[in-house]
Amino acid sequence: MSGTADSQADLTMDYDPLKEIKAFDDTKAGVKGLVDAGIVEIPKIFIRPPHELAEELTQGKSTLQVPVIDLSGIEIQDRRKKIVDEIREASEKWGFFRLINHGVPPSVLEGMIDGIRDFHEQDAEVKKEYYSCDVGRNVRYHSNPHINQTKTAKWRDTLNISTLASGHIEPEEIPAICRKTSLEYINHVMKLGEIILGLLSEALGLKPDHLKATECDKGQVFVCHYYPACPQPELTLGVAKHKDPAFLAFLLQDQIGGLQVMHNNQWANVEPIEHGLVVSIADFLQILSNDKFVSAEHRVVANKIGPRISVASFFTGVFEPPKMYGPIKELISEENPPLYKEFLVSDYITKLSSKPPDKSGLDLFRLVSPSSSEHLYGPSENTIIMCTGQ
Ligand code: OGA
Ligand code: NI
């Protein structure tokens, strides 16, 4: 940490962040471009503000393990009941769980990670074709597209593959270098999604097809991250703390680690499990479940080693034609009144992008004031769908 004070003292006078941000963006080579150029100190736009760095030193770190759900034997009735109970507990207490024996073949998981690595490691000139902040594009590569709002850049580059703009993806739109592997992986995630939505429905005491019938898996965004090795990982982050503005996310990560979830006011590492997947309950499911399930705050820390590859697959629900979502009728009663207004996915995402920094998306749609234990957003980047949905 010895570099911290010096670096912060430098954040004065002749430092013009907007100029640096523009110069970085103009390279269209992302964070990987910086690392390839051989930098040994991270540029100032990546350094977290002093109050965040100070807070980090006092923030507790949890040694608790994020729950692991083993899906094997799911076809056996008693076993399924046990899995539903475990998923209920994890979704209520953590909003995060790791899945094993989920049925997605190891070769498909490895293929996806390799394909994304290959995309990011191909010739910078080829990648530039995809470099864009235009959310009207189904497939685009970018690094820190919203840095003007968030002020601090993050140590990662991202390939976004999204159905939101046009309702579907044509295979040819996906870069050839990762097309086959991505299509295969997406296919499997959609099937696994149905299984998990069934289990989550049962965990809420509903019929297995309840969540699927809301079409919450209709819109999808696949966010394929590349986190280069970082020479000063303690000064920056890979992804700022945030909750996901979606129904559900499936996260595929390699073995490097860095993902953390907030639990009992402490950061817990989401340790990678070989050939495992991580499920995150996101904001919309917290709303539909009327706060029975929680959308957990999470982030990715930077690392001396790398690159780390991860793929977050979001189920966003229906964008077009506009569809109202809200607390599920079967879950509300006189004793359990609805805690949220109904919302349109597009409206949620638009409002979230212009929210004051101390509000979470959930707060914007909450009918009653949040309990004092609720963890609010810091001035964070509030991420991913923002990069896709606006
Ligand atoms: C995200 C996210 C985590 C990771 O993209 O929203 O939380 O491990 N990613 O990359
Ligand atoms: Ni996330």
Side-chain angles (χ1 to χ4, degrees), residues 135-136 140 146 160 162 164 221 223 383-390:
V135 290
R140 64 210 158 78
H146 301 284
N160 246 64
S162 163
L164 298 189
V221 184
V223 185
T383 191
I384 309 311
I385 292 235
M386 303 294 76
C387 307
T388 58
Q390 61 180 351

Side-chain angles (χ1 to χ4, degrees), residues 223 225 227 239 242 244 251 253 259 298 300 308 310 312 314 383-384:
V223 185
H225 300 300
Y227 301 85
V239 179
H242 67 283
D244 295 324
L251 196 102
Q253 60 173 337
L259 175 61
H298 54 284
V300 179
R308 171 179 186 263
S310 71
F314 296 102
T383 191
I384 309 311

Side-chain angles (χ1 to χ4, degrees), residues 290-325:
N290 211 30
D291 273 357
K292 194 161 161 50
F293 291 169
V294 294
S295 172
E297 203 162 44
H298 54 284
R299 69 176 187 178
V300 179
V301 294
N303 205 322
K304 270 249 185 252
I305 55 167
R308 171 179 186 263
I309 316 289
S310 71
V311 178
S313 307
F314 296 102
F315 287 0
T316 60
V318 179
F319 241 60
E320 281 295 337
K323 176 166 179 152
M324 280 296 199
Y325 288 100

